[in-house]
Amino acid sequence: MAEIITDLKEISNPSAGDDAKKIVVSGIRSTGNLHLGNYYGALSKFLRMQDDFDCRFFIADLHALTTNPDPNQLHASVKNILAEYLAAGLDPDKATLYVQSDVPEIAEMYLLLNMHVGIGELMRTASFKDKARKALGLTGDGEEIEKEIIGNQSSQARVNAGLLTYPTLMAVDILIHKADFVPVGKDQEQHLELTRRFARRFNSFYGVDYFGEPVNFNFGGEAVKVPGLDGSGKMGKSEGNCIYLLDDEKTLRKKVMRAVTDEGPKEPNQKPSQPVENLFTLMELVSEPSTVEHFRNAYADMSIRYGDMKKQLAEDILKVTTPIRERILDIRDNDEYLAKVVKQGAERARAAASETLRDVREIMGIRGIR
Ligand code: TYM
């Protein structure tokens, strides 16, 4: 065993060289179209990173399978997201753009890494608890989920094993590239923490220094959480509170004008309620600082009219989304171009992934009879 470990330590980390560009990996699930949460939490960072880093961005269609989508919708959604990546400005000559399922090495490494992942830690993951709770129609805590899953015959398919092992697959997406940075929104940070834990565990179990510990990337700021229009905490597809990059002008204005607010400030300088603070948060993302200041002051001196604020917010969102929307409509039916992009992306991604998989198999003892 000692001899083997010495050999294994020589397996190099491709991202470790001084001159090598840092490796960046991130993906978005193909479950519909991209919304402002995806844009500000992830895609806008991808755009800023593609010039300076070795970026690998993908469409997480295997992750989308965990919620059992309609096959035709899943396929359409993969194409949509690819078109949206390109329309937003991702450049296939700068970044590797691929579809997760086009890289079969990921599926194999997912199987291998699962041997070092505990069922308990997966069941405690916030996103699993959330999704399982929804699938089972529960409102209670983790214990109740466990009881339901194990005890209730009919619930077993609703909470599938893929949903439970979602973080393993995500860790593999990242580790198979030996990524340094993983630009994601705040909601994905727990998954990233698990990725680092799995990497450490793998290294220590096999006595190797093979995987690094990738971190989120926010250009020195905090991870972003884009709020929804319904007064709730987070913009999300399943929450039905989204503004999509593809929304036309009329739809978008209507959504913003209907956003939840309150009856207005009751006294000067009071703290805004959550729904109103959400509008300010959105404004901080899309508007000029002077515009935000204007409405913050108007709120503080109680002269604010939410209708005016929403009109301005819609205007400023449209400035971001309209050019992207026009390009999406242009690109999304160009099958030949889309196919070419992902073919080239898959080739590059597979080249990197197969090296890591080869090493991981070797480290774990899957060595073939030579
Ligand atoms: P997904 O598809 O739910 O979201 C894609 C990206 O958008 C970000 N995001 C948000 N950011 C801020 N505010 C919001 N309201 C908001 N909604 C979504 C997410 O944080 C994410 O960055 N598990 C991942 C996909 C994935 C992945 C990976 C990401 C699979 N493998 C490997 C990075 C690396 C997911 O479901 O993201």
Side-chain angles (χ1 to χ4, degrees):
M1 185 74 182
E3 198 182 271
I4 292 163
I5 289 173
T6 318
D7 284 341
L8 294 175
K9 279 191 174 148
E10 283 163 16
I11 296 172
S12 67
N13 179 344
S15 72
D18 280 347
D19 321 328
K21 276 187 178 177
K22 293 282 185 198
I23 296 178
V24 176
V25 171
S26 197
I28 298 184
R29 258 176 316 146
S30 45
T31 49
N33 291 101
L34 298 186
H35 52 72
L36 284 188
N38 301 134
Y39 186 75
Y40 284 103
L43 185 51
S44 68
K45 298 198 276 185
F46 302 177
L47 295 168
R48 288 175 67 191
M49 294 180 89
Q50 66 177 339
D51 287 316
D52 301 324
F53 298 94
D54 176 353
C55 292
R56 297 138 194 220
F57 300 125
F58 64 96
I59 297 158
D61 59 342
L62 298 177
H63 275 103
L65 282 177
T66 56
T67 46
N68 305 129
D70 170 86
N72 292 327
Q73 274 176 14
L74 175 66
H75 177 65
S77 177
V78 170
K79 264 176 71 179
N80 282 344
I81 295 196
L82 178 61
E84 291 176 338
Y85 273 0
L86 295 163
L90 285 185
D91 179 347
D93 290 328
K94 290 181 186 162
T96 297
L97 306 179
Y98 63 98
V99 180
Q100 186 185 30
S101 61
D102 281 343
V103 181
E105 289 78 7
I106 291 172
E108 184 176 340
M109 190 166 137
Y110 162 67
L111 183 151
L112 297 175
L113 190 65
N114 257 332
M115 307 306 168
H116 289 284
V117 173
I119 295 173
E121 61 192 338
L122 292 174
M123 285 191 82
R124 285 191 297 275
T125 308
S127 62
F128 173 74
K129 287 204 275 186
D130 223 41
K131 291 202 170 101
R133 221 176 256 142
K134 273 186 197 149
L136 297 167
L138 296 177
T139 47
D141 60 14
E143 232 171 275
E144 202 183 331
I145 292 176
E146 252 167 68
K147 240 189 334 197
E148 265 300 306
I149 292 174
I150 296 169
N152 185 338
Q153 301 282 339
S154 66
S155 75
Q156 290 183 8
R158 276 185 285 155
V159 183
N160 63 62
L163 199 58
L164 183 66
T165 53
Y166 186 112
T168 315
L169 183 56
M170 179 157 162
V172 169
D173 290 329
I174 297 166
L175 297 176
I176 209 162
H177 287 288
K178 304 180 123 191
D180 300 290
F181 299 122
V182 186
V184 283
K186 194 158 184 52
D187 60 308
Q188 295 297 318
E189 287 202 316
Q190 190 181 20
H191 290 151
L192 209 45
E193 182 59 49
L194 282 174
T195 301
R196 289 189 287 271
R197 196 199 292 173
F198 299 160
R200 280 195 298 274
R201 186 177 297 158
F202 181 93
N203 287 347
S204 104
F205 187 87
Y206 292 105
V208 293
D209 182 16
Y210 188 67
F211 289 122
E213 294 195 27
V215 291
N216 198 351
F217 193 88
N218 295 293
F219 297 93
E222 288 279 296
V224 178
K225 177 174 155 190
V226 180
L229 294 172
D230 56 354
S232 77
K234 186 190 140 197
M235 185 175 287
K237 284 166 209 156
S238 54
E239 271 69 51
N241 59 5
C242 295
I243 295 175
Y244 293 98
L245 297 179
L246 197 57
D247 279 342
D248 62 44
E249 194 174 326
K250 200 167 148 215
T251 310
L252 193 147
R253 283 188 202 280
K254 213 196 254 170
K255 282 184 181 175
V256 176
M257 293 314 286
R258 283 190 187 156
V260 175
T261 50
D262 57 20
E263 288 164 358
K266 299 253 186 308
E267 56 189 69
N269 301 314
Q270 87 180 45
K271 189 169 172 278
S273 63
Q274 189 63 52
V276 175
E277 191 51 49
N278 287 354
L279 292 188
F280 278 118
T281 303
L282 285 169
M283 205 169 220
E284 276 157 7
L285 290 168
V286 296
S287 306
E288 292 295 327
S290 57
T291 308
V292 183
E293 198 188 340
H294 167 80
F295 286 101
R296 287 259 184 218
N297 289 339
Y299 187 86
D301 69 19
M302 300 169 64
S303 64
I304 194 159
R305 286 167 30 167
Y306 291 143
D308 293 346
M309 182 181 177
K310 288 174 175 178
K311 258 191 216 147
Q312 183 67 49
L313 179 60
E315 211 55 51
D316 292 341
I317 294 174
L318 281 166
K319 276 192 205 137
V320 177
T321 58
T322 304
I324 300 177
R325 175 171 189 272
E326 283 165 2
R327 284 195 297 269
I328 296 171
L329 297 177
D330 234 28
I331 294 172
R332 72 174 176 185
D333 294 322
N334 192 342
D335 285 352
E336 206 180 313
Y337 175 57
L338 297 178
K340 198 176 131 209
V341 168
V342 290
K343 181 165 181 280
Q344 171 188 303
E347 278 164 15
R348 288 199 224 144
R350 288 195 71 181
S354 58
E355 266 188 43
T356 308
L357 179 61
R358 188 200 55 213
D359 292 346
V360 167
R361 288 175 63 119
E362 180 73 21
I363 291 169
M364 292 180 75
I366 310 284
R367 294 176 185 157
I369 308 291
R370 294 174 191 135

